[in-house]
């Protein structure tokens, strides 16, 4: 399993490949001498894998702050540094990494960084990347492996063992997530079908042959777009529970796109609207994102979508 880091850590870790360095040990929980459980083995293997990605920043890393940021990120809490602090620490840290790799700053000035801020930033990034696995990770064991990996010690797992543990764990996690996704999809399918059956009888709701449902909130008097046209719209998209997953209103500007490049429910629905209209659409999952949902998880599998759409112009 490859640990993927986000935000500033991506910039830092891709800045330069650097040889391992020895980092002075800071206070930690009593070290394990054996890995008695599968959870210990997984936690240790993930810690070693992460340490391989962090060697370049080891001289600038405070372990205690890293652990604090890690725990915070695992819980999905807000970052412990402000956005401006993250940007500044990230820039300075990249400069220091490059200097250690033989690329000194052009102005000859080596920026200083606060090791605790580096720890909070990177630990938080790692924690957020592992948040879905938080119940699988024993933090003290993870931290022991991280210290060993960054400090040049002898790990409790050899490289081949570490890879074997990670591959087996990744396979189990994929199976678990797939089962959860399938169960979620079945729940949303049943809820969506029941909702659409009820909504079909609501006064003012029109159901098309495809199953798309819509209501006219304001009827315009302009031309209707063809499915090959490009349009400008304002819209808000929600799930059946009212959760907003996309909104041009929230972004503060209308959206523009060709009608044949969006979900089928949009292509069909907006083509029904005269310019100047505002419609509400209830889009069955098969005309939206189907069994897969969206990659970022904002739309779950088999979700019925609700859109309020204003057609402003045909471009």
């Amino acid at each position: 399993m490859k640990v993927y880091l986000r935000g500033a850590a991506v910039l830092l870790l891709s800045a330069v490949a650097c040889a391992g360095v020895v980092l002075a040990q800071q206070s930690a929980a009593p070290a394990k001498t054996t890995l008695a459980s599968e959870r210990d083995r997984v936690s240790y293997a993930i810690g070693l894998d992460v340490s391989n990605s962090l060697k370049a920043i080891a001289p600038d890393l405070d372990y205690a702050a890293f652990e604090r940021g890690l725990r915070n990120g695992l819980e999905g809490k807000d970052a412990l540094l402000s956005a401006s602090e993250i940007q500044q620490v990230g820039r300075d840290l990249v400069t220091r990494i490059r200097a250690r790799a033989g690329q000194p700053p052009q102005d000859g000035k080596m920026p200083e960084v606060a090791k605790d801020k580096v720890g909070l930033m990177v630990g938080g990034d790692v924690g957020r990347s592992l948040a879905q696995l938080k119940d699988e990770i024993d933090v003290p064991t993870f931290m022991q492996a991280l210290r060993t990996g960054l400090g040049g010690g002898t790990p409790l797992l050899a490289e081949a063992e570490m890879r074997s543990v990670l591959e087996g764990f990744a396979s189990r996690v994929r199976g678990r997530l797939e089962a959860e996704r399938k169960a979620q999809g079945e729940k949303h399918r049943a809820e969506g079908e029941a909702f659409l059956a009820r909504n079909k009888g609501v006064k003012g709701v029109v159901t098309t042959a495809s199953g798309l449902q819509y209501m006219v909130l304001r009827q315009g008097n302009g031309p209707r777009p063809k499915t090959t046209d490009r349009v400008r719209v304002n819209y808000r998209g929600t799930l059946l529970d009212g959760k907003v997953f996309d909104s041009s209103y929230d972004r503060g500007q209308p959206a523009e796109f060709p009608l044949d490049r969006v979900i089928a429910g949009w292509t069909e629905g907006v083509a029904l609207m005269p310019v100047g209209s505002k419609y509400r659409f209830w889009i069955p999952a098969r005309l939206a994102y189907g069994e897969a949902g969206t990659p970022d998880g904002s739309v779950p599998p088999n979700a019925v979508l609700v859109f309020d759409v204003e057609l402003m112009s045909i471009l």
Side-chain angles (χ1 to χ4, degrees):
M1 184 183 73
K2 177 65 176 175
V3 175
Y4 291 97
L5 307 182
R6 300 180 297 181
V10 173
L11 173 64
L12 303 178
L13 302 183
S14 63
V16 63
C18 184
V21 294
V22 176
L23 183 64
Q25 294 289 331
Q26 300 177 13
S27 61
K32 289 181 168 67
T33 57
T34 60
L35 301 172
S37 68
E38 182 63 16
R39 187 166 184 254
D40 281 348
R41 289 169 60 82
V42 167
S43 301
Y44 197 92
I46 293 174
L48 283 180
D49 195 39
V50 171
S51 75
N52 288 333
S53 297
L54 299 184
K55 290 185 184 297
I57 68 170
D60 297 308
L61 184 67
D62 177 86
Y63 284 133
F66 178 94
E67 182 173 346
R68 183 182 168 207
L70 174 72
R71 290 181 183 275
N72 189 74
L74 287 172
E75 294 300 324
K77 297 179 180 178
D78 292 341
L80 296 172
L81 297 178
S82 67
S84 61
E85 286 178 307
I86 290 172
Q87 291 176 355
Q88 185 62 55
V89 171
R91 285 193 295 267
D92 292 343
L93 194 51
V94 167
T95 299
R96 292 173 65 84
I97 291 170
R98 288 174 173 164
R100 287 195 288 268
Q103 302 175 49
Q106 291 184 350
D107 61 7
K109 298 178 181 179
M110 178 69 77
E112 295 295 327
V113 293
K115 292 185 178 183
D116 60 338
K117 289 187 176 183
V118 174
L120 292 175
M121 180 182 72
V122 179
D125 217 25
V126 172
R128 286 186 291 275
S129 294
L130 298 175
Q132 282 191 310
L133 310 176
K134 67 177 183 178
D135 294 334
E136 311 281 353
I137 296 175
D138 178 70
V139 172
T141 305
F142 173 98
M143 290 300 301
Q144 179 180 334
L146 185 81
R147 288 184 174 91
T148 299
L150 293 181
T154 301
L156 298 178
L157 291 175
E159 179 74 15
E161 291 178 292
M162 180 192 78
R163 293 299 164 198
S164 177
V165 170
L166 291 177
E167 287 170 7
F169 176 63
S171 178
R172 292 194 299 277
V173 169
R174 282 195 297 269
R176 187 194 75 197
L177 294 178
E178 176 59 24
E180 291 174 355
R181 188 200 66 79
K182 185 175 180 180
Q184 185 187 42
E186 285 302 307
K187 174 177 178 290
H188 285 291
R189 180 191 60 76
E191 290 175 349
E193 289 178 354
F195 172 84
L196 291 171
R198 294 193 305 270
N199 199 52
K200 187 175 184 179
V202 173
K203 182 179 179 180
V205 173
V206 179
T207 302
T208 71
S210 71
L212 172 71
Q213 295 182 355
Y214 70 92
M215 176 184 287
V216 178
L217 304 180
R218 183 182 69 238
Q219 187 75 317
N221 55 13
R224 287 184 172 87
K226 300 186 292 293
T227 58
T228 53
D229 283 336
R230 185 176 180 86
V231 296
R232 178 182 292 117
V233 298
N234 259 325
Y235 67 92
R236 177 175 291 107
T238 69
L239 304 179
L240 288 179
D241 62 6
K243 181 180 179 181
V244 176
F245 64 87
D246 192 13
S247 173
S248 67
Y249 296 108
D250 291 349
R251 291 192 294 272
Q253 62 180 13
E256 299 178 359
F257 46 76
L259 272 185
D260 58 0
R261 299 293 180 87
V262 291
I263 58 175
W266 262 78
T267 302
E268 177 184 357
V270 176
L272 298 172
M273 301 175 66
V275 170
S277 297
K278 182 176 184 179
Y279 282 21
R280 178 167 297 159
F281 296 108
W282 294 270
I283 303 180
R286 67 180 179 278
L287 301 178
Y289 296 102
E291 294 183 355
T294 53
D296 64 0
S298 60
V299 175
N302 289 330
V304 171
L305 306 183
V306 185
F307 280 99
D308 285 356
V309 182
E310 292 184 88
L311 178 57
M312 304 174 72
S313 62
I314 302 171
L315 304 175

